[in-house]
Amino acid sequence: MQVFALTEHMPREQDDLYPDEIEALQTQETLIELFDAYVLEATRLQSAYAPEIKIFIGLEIDWIRPSSMRWIHDLLETRRFDLFVGSVHHVHTIPIDYDREMYVEARGRSGGTDQQLFENYFDLQFEMIQALKPPVVGHFDLIRLKSDEPNADCLRWDAVRQKISRNLDFIIGYGGLLELSSAALRKGLSEPYPAKSICQMYLTKGGQFTISDDCHSVDQIGANYGQLLEFAEETGIETWNYLTEDPFSNDLSSSKIQFSSIRIAEIKDHQFFKQEPLSADLQRNISAPSS
């Protein structure tokens, strides 16, 4: 692989700090400082390794409440990015993928059942994609992770199916991509995000994918990409998309983001999918001291 995108999470408001961040005495201000340090280091890496690999610099947004829009606008207007990933990690402002306890709390706010929480999640996701039209929609069915049956089919509930179909239609309508993420495999699920049934629904509508490991540490780079490739073939996904231009656009739409596609059949024999571990060389590069 020669093309990589770095998408650090955007800073969150003080009320939305995770328990481990509170324990570490992090604040809204220190999260902003960490994020700016990420942009600086990503820019250094982008320049330092330009002859070998192409690095795009982006961010992953967290759509939590209406005021999230102000934070997102501020980030995109005051800093330069190649792209952003739109995602939802909270329902009723409660994290739904941090731990089981918080998931159950969010479920209680939704009415007490997984189905009700799933409906609320996909409604909030719809609100996010309508407001932002993100070029890439991240871990589309993340809500599965801490549910009672994380490997069960989300489409088993008619109301959830309808909301999923609506969201997929909207994403296709503005030209967005779904992230096919191997992170679900790393976290113990049997299928990536999105699950096979959702991928197949998306394919019948004409949807397109890009891939991600959603890594949060160097040793997770490329994790389970071999399984992801097998899953794609089994599911009927024939092409993956990757970023090809460096627009540095702060436009809150996908209109200036350029992707190219590559057939899966063309990359099966690429050395990236044959080496183990996949991240060994990259670890040396990313850990290299600044000159």
Side-chain angles (χ1 to χ4, degrees), residues 178-284:
L178 279 193
E179 169 198 66
L180 186 64
S181 172
S182 65
L185 304 174
R186 171 165 51 81
K187 295 181 179 182
L189 274 62
S190 62
E191 296 179 340
Y193 304 125
K196 181 178 291 186
S197 61
I198 296 176
C199 288
Q200 291 175 332
M201 175 187 283
Y202 187 54
L203 286 171
T204 63
K205 295 174 179 290
Q208 295 290 317
F209 296 88
T210 189
I211 63 169
S212 169
D213 50 30
D214 197 6
C215 65
H216 285 62
S217 62
V218 172
D219 63 317
Q220 295 173 356
I221 296 175
N224 297 306
Y225 266 13
Q227 290 178 256
L228 199 68
L229 182 64
E230 293 175 1
F231 173 86
E233 290 187 298
E234 293 170 0
T235 304
I237 300 170
E238 297 181 349
T239 60
W240 285 342
N241 291 267
Y242 60 95
L243 198 61
T244 55
E245 286 195 3
D246 191 357
F248 278 111
S249 170
N250 292 344
D251 187 350
L252 283 175
S253 73
S254 59
S255 59
K256 295 186 179 180
I257 306 298
Q258 299 295 319
F259 286 91
S260 292
S261 63
I262 183 169
R263 294 183 62 83
I264 289 178
E266 295 179 48
I267 63 174
K268 286 180 64 175
D269 293 328
H270 193 287
Q271 65 178 14
F272 187 88
F273 291 94
K274 292 182 175 180
Q275 59 182 340
E276 288 292 342
L278 293 175
S279 60
D281 293 336
L282 286 172
Q283 182 167 357
R284 286 194 294 273

Side-chain angles (χ1 to χ4, degrees), residues 7-275:
T7 52
E8 177 62 280
H9 284 269
M10 62 177 277
R12 282 165 280 103
E13 297 180 74
Q14 188 69 34
D15 291 342
D16 300 316
L17 297 182
Y18 291 119
D20 59 320
E21 293 170 334
I22 295 172
E23 185 177 348
L25 303 180
Q26 297 281 6
T27 65
Q28 175 179 305
E29 288 72 25
T30 61
L31 291 185
I32 294 173
E33 292 173 1
L34 284 171
F35 186 81
D36 285 338
Y38 149 72
V39 174
L40 186 63
E41 176 64 3
T43 302
R44 182 189 73 82
L45 293 172
Q46 185 182 57
S47 175
Y49 297 104
E52 303 169 49
I53 56 177
K54 181 65 178 176
I55 297 177
F56 292 97
I57 303 172
L59 76 159
E60 180 176 353
I61 67 99
D62 284 317
W63 188 265
I64 302 174
R65 57 174 62 82
S67 63
S68 298
M69 193 67 171
R70 174 180 59 82
W71 280 80
I72 295 164
H73 271 293
D74 179 67
L75 287 168
L76 293 173
E77 289 173 359
T78 59
R79 298 159 180 84
R80 301 176 68 197
F81 299 104
D82 295 310
L83 80 159
F84 67 96
V85 176
S87 61
V88 174
H89 299 86
H90 300 69
V91 179
H92 306 296
T93 73
I94 303 168
I96 49 83
D97 65 322
Y98 184 81
D99 60 23
R100 174 68 176 177
E101 182 179 355
M102 287 185 168
Y103 176 90
V104 170
E105 182 182 355
R107 185 172 64 184
R109 296 274 191 92
S110 294
T113 69
D114 278 349
Q115 178 180 344
Q116 290 169 311
L117 180 56
F118 278 44
E119 290 180 32
N120 287 173
Y121 170 84
F122 286 110
D123 280 342
L124 192 61
Q125 185 184 75
F126 189 54
E127 180 182 312
M128 181 272 292
I129 59 178
Q130 284 183 303
L132 297 173
K133 296 182 175 64
V136 177
V137 178
H139 41 62
F140 182 85
D141 54 351
L142 177 68
I143 190 65
R144 290 191 290 131
L145 182 61
K146 300 296 182 181
S147 66
D148 287 347
E149 299 178 274
N151 293 316
D153 189 352
C154 293
L155 304 185
R156 66 191 184 278
W157 298 305
D158 287 342
V160 174
R161 172 190 286 269
Q162 291 171 15
K163 293 177 188 296
I164 288 174
S165 180
R166 172 201 62 192
N167 292 10
L168 295 178
D169 285 338
F170 190 84
I171 293 166
I172 292 170
Y174 71 78
L177 301 175
L178 279 193
E179 169 198 66
L180 186 64
S181 172
S182 65
L185 304 174
R186 171 165 51 81
K187 295 181 179 182
L189 274 62
S190 62
E191 296 179 340
Y193 304 125
K196 181 178 291 186
S197 61
I198 296 176
C199 288
Q200 291 175 332
M201 175 187 283
Y202 187 54
L203 286 171
T204 63
K205 295 174 179 290
Q208 295 290 317
F209 296 88
T210 189
I211 63 169
S212 169
D213 50 30
D214 197 6
C215 65
H216 285 62
S217 62
V218 172
D219 63 317
Q220 295 173 356
I221 296 175
N224 297 306
Y225 266 13
Q227 290 178 256
L228 199 68
L229 182 64
E230 293 175 1
F231 173 86
E233 290 187 298
E234 293 170 0
T235 304
I237 300 170
E238 297 181 349
T239 60
W240 285 342
N241 291 267
Y242 60 95
L243 198 61
T244 55
E245 286 195 3
D246 191 357
F248 278 111
S249 170
N250 292 344
D251 187 350
L252 283 175
S253 73
S254 59
S255 59
K256 295 186 179 180
I257 306 298
Q258 299 295 319
F259 286 91
S260 292
S261 63
I262 183 169
R263 294 183 62 83
I264 289 178
E266 295 179 48
I267 63 174
K268 286 180 64 175
D269 293 328
H270 193 287
Q271 65 178 14
F272 187 88
F273 291 94
K274 292 182 175 180
Q275 59 182 340

